[in-house]
Amino acid sequence: MDTEARDATAGDVADWWATSISRMEPGVLELRGIPVQDLIGSHGFVATIWLLVRGTSPTPQEAALLEAAMVASVDHGPQAPSIAIARMTATCGVGLNNAMASGVNALGDSHGGAGQQCVELLSEIVEGESGGLDLADATARVVAEHRARSRYLPGFGHRFHPVDPRRAPLLALVDAAVEDGVVAGRHIRAARAVETLLNEGRAKPVPMNIDGATAVIYAELGFAPPLARGLFVLSRSVGILAHAWEETNSGRRNKGPMPTSILPTHR
């Protein structure tokens, strides 16, 4: 018998999953030290996400800005792989939980990861500016470094939209938050500097997209880059649920990625 296992005490076992997030005892449930009954009816869902992840409650203005970002990302139609996968899975008879999990599991670096990558990009620019570079030089250096690794610059351009319709309202909310002193505004300045650099001498503009606009919000609100991906997953889960439920009620079985009248090309 393993010595560590043999000598474990009740305290050792209790410490195994020690957490500051929640406390549960018979008749007691606290989230970050706040009784859940005090949160019910007083904290919105987005504010509760912030509370659990960050350990503090946001101001109403911070919660509203985060909510705007999460609302903007809920869905982008069945052409998005995560949505298509959830819809197909729903026709396989596995239930909503599995359909949702299948869709969420498609959210990776190429589909769902651009927000995190853009937060990292903007943060590098802000750090360069803090280190003494002017904004234009910091932007040029960071963009060049990223382009040396990939031709894709996360948060800019869109394969469907000439101008992402979600961009302008989100950035307007950030501008208002900067004016009101809710956020500092350094990351939105960096994002606009990237946009200016990308569009120098171009006939066809490459505007900021939803990933860039939400990355600005997450970064301005102080969320770590990996949390930008996690928040996107939470947001997109709403669309995944809606599409999976719609497909569940369609009555179709074993729906594939294309109509049965079309067969894949054989090579």
Side-chain angles (χ1 to χ4, degrees):
M1 187 175 185
D2 183 81
T3 302
E4 183 179 346
R6 185 181 63 244
D7 295 339
T9 66
D12 294 329
V13 176
D15 290 342
W16 188 255
W17 293 116
T19 176
S20 61
I21 297 172
S22 55
R23 172 176 171 248
M24 193 286 296
E25 298 177 3
V28 175
L29 179 56
E30 296 177 351
L31 303 178
R32 294 292 189 180
I34 304 173
V36 69
Q37 60 267 32
D38 293 345
L39 294 172
I40 296 171
S42 67
H43 262 56
F45 184 56
V46 168
T48 303
I49 292 170
W50 183 305
L51 173 67
L52 264 64
V53 172
R54 302 276 291 268
T56 59
S57 292
T59 66
Q61 297 91 336
E62 290 171 332
L65 192 56
L66 176 60
E67 183 168 13
M70 296 188 71
V71 167
S73 302
V74 292
D75 187 25
H76 198 252
Q79 75 281 351
S82 55
I83 300 294
I85 288 168
R87 294 191 73 122
M88 285 189 292
T89 306
T91 69
C92 297
V94 297
L96 278 177
N97 58 322
N98 288 291
M100 291 183 68
S102 296
V104 166
N105 282 333
L107 297 172
D109 289 341
S110 299
H111 173 41
Q116 174 182 349
Q117 295 156 9
C118 189
V119 171
E120 292 168 346
L121 173 81
L122 300 180
S123 297
E124 288 176 28
I125 294 171
V126 169
E127 288 168 9
E129 192 179 17
S130 296
L133 294 174
D134 65 35
L135 180 59
D137 289 341
T139 301
R141 186 186 70 179
V142 171
V143 168
E145 290 173 351
H146 275 251
R147 281 186 152 171
R149 300 192 295 268
S150 172
R151 66 189 181 95
Y152 296 105
L153 201 66
F156 298 86
H158 202 286
R159 59 187 179 133
F160 288 108
H161 305 299
V163 177
D164 194 315
R166 299 162 290 187
R167 170 192 181 279
L170 290 176
L171 296 185
L173 289 173
V174 178
D175 287 335
V178 172
E179 186 174 346
D180 292 340
V182 178
V183 296
R186 299 191 69 189
H187 292 85
I188 193 170
R189 288 179 61 247
R192 286 187 166 127
V194 173
E195 197 170 51
T196 298
L197 178 64
L198 289 180
N199 289 295
E200 288 179 353
R202 292 185 62 94
K204 184 178 179 181
V206 183
M208 199 184 317
N209 60 29
I210 179 66
D211 297 309
T214 54
V216 166
I217 290 176
Y218 297 143
E220 290 285 355
L221 290 174
F223 285 92
L227 288 175
R229 186 179 306 211
L231 291 168
F232 175 80
V233 170
L234 285 176
S235 175
R236 185 52 58 89
S237 293
V238 177
I240 289 172
L241 170 61
H243 280 273
W245 179 239
E246 182 180 63
E247 199 66 60
T248 297
N249 288 287
S250 72
R252 296 187 182 186
R253 292 164 57 91
N254 297 329
K255 185 175 181 179
M258 62 185 75
T260 54
S261 60
I262 300 175
L263 297 177
T265 300
H266 177 256
R267 292 179 178 172

